């Protein structure tokens, strides 16, 4: 039974869902409000420089492989991958940094050199993290979050206590050196919450980091988007850009149409990969599942202040991925989660893709992406952006022992207001809902609308959570629920 399925947004979760639904033989159309596909994973091209505007880390390569394998393909059919060595560098002070190697054995040696005895402890910690990774990523996250019973397996029952502990406490019990603690807490930031609010079970992110490594797709993360777009089109998916959705139409309790750029478009099934809160505002209020007070009480992952910079020279003493942890993360975290405000001394991240990928900058020049995590919903002005750029570029110069301010050809910024304007993002969040204990699995906003038949949601505000690999999984999960719905409808029609 071929259905007309309309998908809102063209981010990773939407592209994933589109591929799976087209594979089932349905007529699938994606509507993207912006000029190019990719949602938050767009690309900026300027004066010969190329920047990923959104995600820049390629982690969990097995999830990408599993996605493409579902279509009898592999990532290498669409883009080239290179494992980064070192994976990244962490700066703590001038000439005081730690390089994270591209293999577990060397990372263990690095830890041991910093804190005697920590190498053995790290090995044991990573063994536990791998066990959790195998349970979570190979099984649990591929469940649609419809029931708490999805979490009940013999394996999870053996680890029940890990859902009530927290990563920060666990790490600090095992490691005393502050640098090692910060390095181990770093991967949790991808989950969008403070380490002290993240269940111990999520230490599987440390295995994703040290065990599986950090990779770079040639051309940037947008190469993955283009690969998925190519796959989707080969399966028959139609993609329309500059297509803003103004309304989701409901008739007799069923999702029946969209208003796209003022035009009514009929649908049998609607899947929204746009911001969940925004998607529900496209419905009449009686059909919304979550109130404004519900969203207000959620713990959101941070927003970000991003800069995309073209330098007229090569930048020294940095790696492709460089983290600047020379200030107190606990203080910065409070400014994000506890009492939201602009941080006085923010940690920041910098990516220099042209260190690995020559095509992302003209010869002899460097492309730089800078990111400061911020509380969503805070004030965003040009003056604040400039003030904070001055803070981080000055620290970059001091920590790496070079002058770069006079070598900036151009600088573009992206912050809270842009996340709202370009992505209809709730409070300008960058990563969706944080994965805290009370926002895990079945406790997250539902993939399937309980009030409107044929209406579904996918992406970082629903199951399984923030990040690119979870977005691919979210698309598969929602496609599975749609398939179940259509199969049930088919049986009823047959009767």
């Amino acid at each position: 039974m071929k259905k007309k399925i309309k998908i809102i947004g063209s981010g990773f979760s939407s592209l994933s869902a589109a591929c799976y639904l087209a594979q089932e033989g349905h007529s699938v159309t994606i509507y993207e409000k912006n000029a190019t596909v990719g949602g938050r994973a767009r690309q900026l091209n300027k004066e010969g420089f190329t920047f990923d505007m959104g995600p820049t880390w390629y982690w969990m390569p097995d999830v990408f492989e599993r996605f493409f394998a579902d279509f009898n393909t592999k990532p290498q059919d669409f883009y080239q991958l290179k494992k980064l060595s070192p994976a990244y560098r962490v700066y703590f002070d001038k000439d005081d940094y730690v390089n994270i190697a591209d293999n577990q054995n060397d990372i263990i040696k690095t830890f041991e050199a910093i804190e005697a005895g920590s190498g053995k402890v790290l090995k044991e910690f990573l063994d536990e993290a791998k066990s959790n990774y195998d349970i979570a990523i190979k099984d649990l996250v591929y469940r649609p979050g419809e029931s708490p019973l999805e979490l009940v397996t013999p394996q999870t029952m053996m680890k029940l206590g890990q859902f009530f502990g927290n990563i920060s406490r666990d790490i600090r019990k095992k490691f005393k050196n502050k640098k090692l603690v910060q390095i181990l807490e770093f991967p949790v930031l991808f989950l969008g919450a403070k380490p002290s609010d993240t269940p111990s079970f999520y230490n599987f992110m440390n295995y994703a980091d040290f065990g599986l490594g950090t990779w770079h797709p040639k051309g940037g993360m947008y190469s993955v988007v283009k690969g998925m777009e190519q796959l989707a089109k080969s399966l028959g998916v139609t993609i329309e850009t500059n297509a803003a959705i103004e309304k989701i139409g409901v008739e007799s309790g069923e999702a029946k149409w969209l208003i796209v750029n003022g035009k009514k478009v009929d649908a049998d099934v609607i899947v929204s990969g746009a911001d969940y809160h925004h998607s529900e505002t496209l419905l009449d209020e009686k059909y919304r599942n979550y109130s404004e007070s519900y969203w207000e009480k959620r713990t959101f992952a941070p927003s970000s202040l991003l800069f995309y910079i073209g330098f007229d020279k090569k930048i020294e003493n940095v790696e492709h991925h460089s983290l600047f942890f020379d200030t107190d993360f606990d203080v910065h975290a409070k400014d994000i989660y506890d009492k939201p405000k602009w941080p006085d001394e923010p940690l920041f991240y910098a990516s220099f893709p042209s260190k690995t990928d020559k095509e992302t900058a003209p010869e002899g020049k460097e492309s730089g992406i800078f990111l400061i995590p911020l509380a969503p919903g805070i004030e965003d002005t040009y003056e604040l952006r400039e003030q904070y750029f001055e803070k981080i570029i000055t620290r970059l110069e001091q920590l790496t022992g070079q002058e770069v301010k006079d070598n900036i050809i151009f600088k573009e910024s992206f912050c809270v207001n842009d996340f709202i304007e370009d992505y209809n993002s709730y409070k300008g969040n960058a990563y969706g809902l944080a994965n805290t204990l009370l926002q895990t699995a079945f406790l997250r906003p539902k993939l399937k609308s309980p009030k409107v038949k044929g209406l579904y949601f996918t992406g970082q505000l629903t199951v399984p959570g923030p990040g690119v690999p979870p977005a691919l999984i979210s698309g598969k999960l929602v496609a599975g629920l749609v398939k179940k719905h259509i199969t049930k409808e088919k049986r009823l029609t047959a009767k």
Side-chain angles (χ1 to χ4, degrees), residues 75-97:
Q76 290 80 358
D77 294 333
F78 301 96
Y79 52 88
Q80 298 175 36
L81 278 174
K82 179 178 181 179
K83 193 174 189 183
L84 298 184
S85 179
Y88 53 91
R89 173 176 290 183
V90 186
Y91 264 99
F92 297 99
D93 207 340
K94 181 173 170 57
D95 299 324
D96 181 10
Y97 59 82

CSV table of all heavy atoms in Angstrom, one decimal, residues 75-97:
chain,number,residue,atom,x,y,z
A,75,PRO,N,29.6,3.5,3.8
A,75,PRO,CA,30.0,4.9,3.8
A,75,PRO,C,31.0,5.2,2.7
A,75,PRO,O,30.8,6.3,2.0
A,75,PRO,CB,30.7,5.1,5.2
A,75,PRO,CG,30.0,4.1,6.1
A,75,PRO,CD,29.8,2.9,5.2
A,76,GLN,N,31.9,4.3,2.4
A,76,GLN,CA,33.0,4.6,1.4
A,76,GLN,C,32.4,4.7,0.0
A,76,GLN,O,33.1,5.1,-0.9
A,76,GLN,CB,34.0,3.5,1.4
A,76,GLN,CG,34.9,3.5,2.7
A,76,GLN,CD,34.2,2.9,3.9
A,76,GLN,OE1,33.1,2.5,3.9
A,76,GLN,NE2,35.0,2.9,5.0
A,77,ASP,N,31.2,4.2,-0.2
A,77,ASP,CA,30.5,4.4,-1.5
A,77,ASP,C,30.1,5.9,-1.7
A,77,ASP,O,29.9,6.3,-2.9
A,77,ASP,CB,29.2,3.6,-1.6
A,77,ASP,CG,29.5,2.1,-1.6
A,77,ASP,OD1,30.6,1.7,-2.0
A,77,ASP,OD2,28.7,1.3,-1.1
A,78,PHE,N,30.1,6.7,-0.7
A,78,PHE,CA,29.7,8.1,-0.8
A,78,PHE,C,30.7,9.1,-0.3
A,78,PHE,O,30.7,10.2,-0.8
A,78,PHE,CB,28.4,8.2,0.1
A,78,PHE,CG,27.3,7.3,-0.4
A,78,PHE,CD1,27.0,6.1,0.3
A,78,PHE,CD2,26.5,7.7,-1.4
A,78,PHE,CE1,26.0,5.3,-0.1
A,78,PHE,CE2,25.4,6.8,-1.9
A,78,PHE,CZ,25.2,5.6,-1.2
A,79,TYR,N,31.6,8.7,0.6
A,79,TYR,CA,32.6,9.7,1.1
A,79,TYR,C,33.8,8.9,1.6
A,79,TYR,O,33.7,7.8,2.0
A,79,TYR,CB,32.0,10.6,2.1
A,79,TYR,CG,31.3,9.9,3.3
A,79,TYR,CD1,32.0,9.5,4.4
A,79,TYR,CD2,29.9,9.7,3.3
A,79,TYR,CE1,31.4,8.9,5.5
A,79,TYR,CE2,29.3,9.1,4.3
A,79,TYR,CZ,30.0,8.7,5.4
A,79,TYR,OH,29.4,8.1,6.5
A,80,GLN,N,35.0,9.6,1.6
A,80,GLN,CA,36.2,9.0,2.1
A,80,GLN,C,36.4,9.4,3.6
A,80,GLN,O,36.2,10.5,3.9
A,80,GLN,CB,37.4,9.5,1.3
A,80,GLN,CG,37.3,9.2,-0.2
A,80,GLN,CD,38.5,9.8,-1.0
A,80,GLN,OE1,39.6,9.9,-0.5
A,80,GLN,NE2,38.2,10.2,-2.2
A,81,LEU,N,36.8,8.4,4.3
A,81,LEU,CA,37.1,8.6,5.8
A,81,LEU,C,38.6,8.5,6.1
A,81,LEU,O,39.3,7.7,5.6
A,81,LEU,CB,36.3,7.6,6.6
A,81,LEU,CG,34.8,7.8,6.9
A,81,LEU,CD1,34.3,6.6,7.6
A,81,LEU,CD2,34.6,9.1,7.7
A,82,LYS,N,39.0,9.4,7.0
A,82,LYS,CA,40.4,9.3,7.5
A,82,LYS,C,40.3,9.3,9.1
A,82,LYS,O,39.7,10.2,9.6
A,82,LYS,CB,41.2,10.5,7.0
A,82,LYS,CG,42.6,10.4,7.5
A,82,LYS,CD,43.5,11.6,7.0
A,82,LYS,CE,44.9,11.5,7.5
A,82,LYS,NZ,45.7,12.6,6.9
A,83,LYS,N,41.0,8.4,9.7
A,83,LYS,CA,41.1,8.4,11.2
A,83,LYS,C,42.1,9.5,11.6
A,83,LYS,O,43.3,9.4,11.1
A,83,LYS,CB,41.5,7.0,11.7
A,83,LYS,CG,41.2,6.9,13.2
A,83,LYS,CD,41.5,5.5,13.7
A,83,LYS,CE,41.1,5.3,15.1
A,83,LYS,NZ,41.3,3.9,15.6
A,84,LEU,N,41.7,10.3,12.5
A,84,LEU,CA,42.6,11.4,12.9
A,84,LEU,C,43.7,10.9,13.9
A,84,LEU,O,43.3,10.2,14.9
A,84,LEU,CB,41.8,12.6,13.5
A,84,LEU,CG,40.8,13.3,12.6
A,84,LEU,CD1,40.2,14.5,13.3
A,84,LEU,CD2,41.5,13.7,11.3
A,85,SER,N,44.9,11.3,13.7
A,85,SER,CA,46.0,11.0,14.7
A,85,SER,C,46.9,12.2,14.9
A,85,SER,O,47.6,12.6,13.9
A,85,SER,CB,46.8,9.8,14.1
A,85,SER,OG,47.9,9.5,15.0
A,86,PRO,N,46.8,12.8,16.1
A,86,PRO,CA,46.0,12.5,17.2
A,86,PRO,C,44.5,12.8,16.9
A,86,PRO,O,44.2,13.5,16.0
A,86,PRO,CB,46.6,13.3,18.3
A,86,PRO,CG,47.1,14.5,17.6
A,86,PRO,CD,47.7,14.0,16.3
A,87,ALA,N,43.7,12.2,17.8
A,87,ALA,CA,42.2,12.4,17.6
A,87,ALA,C,41.9,13.9,17.9
A,87,ALA,O,41.2,14.5,17.2
A,87,ALA,CB,41.5,11.5,18.6
A,88,TYR,N,42.5,14.4,19.0
A,88,TYR,CA,42.4,15.8,19.3
A,88,TYR,C,43.4,16.2,20.4
A,88,TYR,O,44.1,15.3,20.9
A,88,TYR,CB,41.0,16.1,19.8
A,88,TYR,CG,40.5,15.2,21.0
A,88,TYR,CD1,40.7,15.6,22.3
A,88,TYR,CD2,39.8,14.0,20.7
A,88,TYR,CE1,40.2,14.8,23.4
A,88,TYR,CE2,39.3,13.3,21.8
A,88,TYR,CZ,39.5,13.7,23.1
A,88,TYR,OH,39.1,12.9,24.1
A,89,ARG,N,43.5,17.5,20.6
A,89,ARG,CA,44.5,18.0,21.6
A,89,ARG,C,43.6,18.8,22.6
A,89,ARG,O,42.7,19.5,22.3
A,89,ARG,CB,45.5,19.0,20.9
A,89,ARG,CG,46.4,19.7,21.9
A,89,ARG,CD,47.4,20.5,21.2
A,89,ARG,NE,48.4,19.7,20.6
A,89,ARG,CZ,49.5,20.1,19.9
A,89,ARG,NH1,49.7,21.4,19.8
A,89,ARG,NH2,50.4,19.3,19.4
A,90,VAL,N,44.1,18.7,23.9
A,90,VAL,CA,43.4,19.4,25.0
A,90,VAL,C,44.4,20.3,25.6
A,90,VAL,O,45.5,19.9,26.2
A,90,VAL,CB,42.8,18.5,26.1
A,90,VAL,CG1,42.0,19.3,27.1
A,90,VAL,CG2,41.9,17.4,25.4
A,91,TYR,N,44.2,21.6,25.6
A,91,TYR,CA,45.1,22.6,26.2
A,91,TYR,C,44.6,23.0,27.6
A,91,TYR,O,43.4,23.2,27.8
A,91,TYR,CB,45.1,23.9,25.4
A,91,TYR,CG,46.2,24.1,24.4
A,91,TYR,CD1,46.0,23.8,23.0
A,91,TYR,CD2,47.5,24.4,24.8
A,91,TYR,CE1,47.1,23.9,22.1
A,91,TYR,CE2,48.5,24.6,23.9
A,91,TYR,CZ,48.3,24.3,22.6
A,91,TYR,OH,49.4,24.4,21.7
A,92,PHE,N,45.5,23.0,28.5
A,92,PHE,CA,45.3,23.4,29.9
A,92,PHE,C,46.0,24.7,30.3
A,92,PHE,O,45.5,25.4,31.2
A,92,PHE,CB,45.7,22.2,30.9
A,92,PHE,CG,44.9,21.0,30.6
A,92,PHE,CD1,45.5,19.9,29.9
A,92,PHE,CD2,43.6,20.8,31.1
A,92,PHE,CE1,44.8,18.7,29.7
A,92,PHE,CE2,42.9,19.6,30.9
A,92,PHE,CZ,43.5,18.6,30.2
A,93,ASP,N,47.0,25.0,29.6
A,93,ASP,CA,47.8,26.2,29.9
A,93,ASP,C,48.8,26.3,28.7
A,93,ASP,O,48.9,25.5,27.9
A,93,ASP,CB,48.5,26.1,31.2
A,93,ASP,CG,48.7,27.5,31.8
A,93,ASP,OD1,48.7,28.5,31.0
A,93,ASP,OD2,49.0,27.6,33.0
A,94,LYS,N,49.5,27.4,28.7
A,94,LYS,CA,50.5,27.6,27.7
A,94,LYS,C,51.6,26.5,27.7
A,94,LYS,O,52.1,26.2,28.8
A,94,LYS,CB,51.2,29.0,27.9
A,94,LYS,CG,52.3,29.3,26.8
A,94,LYS,CD,52.8,30.7,26.9
A,94,LYS,CE,54.0,30.9,26.0
A,94,LYS,NZ,53.7,30.6,24.6
A,95,ASP,N,51.8,25.9,26.6
A,95,ASP,CA,52.7,24.7,26.5
A,95,ASP,C,52.3,23.6,27.4
A,95,ASP,O,53.2,22.7,27.6
A,95,ASP,CB,54.2,25.2,26.8
A,95,ASP,CG,54.7,26.3,25.9
A,95,ASP,OD1,54.3,26.2,24.7
A,95,ASP,OD2,55.4,27.2,26.3
A,96,ASP,N,51.1,23.5,27.9
A,96,ASP,CA,50.7,22.4,28.7
A,96,ASP,C,49.4,21.8,28.1
A,96,ASP,O,48.3,22.4,28.2
A,96,ASP,CB,50.3,22.9,30.1
A,96,ASP,CG,49.9,21.8,31.1
A,96,ASP,OD1,50.0,20.6,30.7
A,96,ASP,OD2,49.4,22.1,32.2
A,97,TYR,N,49.6,20.8,27.3
A,97,TYR,CA,48.5,20.2,26.6
A,97,TYR,C,48.7,18.7,26.6
A,97,TYR,O,49.8,18.1,26.8
A,97,TYR,CB,48.4,20.7,25.2
A,97,TYR,CG,49.6,20.5,24.3
A,97,TYR,CD1,49.8,19.3,23.7
A,97,TYR,CD2,50.6,21.5,24.1
A,97,TYR,CE1,50.9,19.1,22.8
A,97,TYR,CE2,51.7,21.3,23.3
A,97,TYR,CZ,51.9,20.1,22.7
A,97,TYR,OH,53.0,19.9,21.9
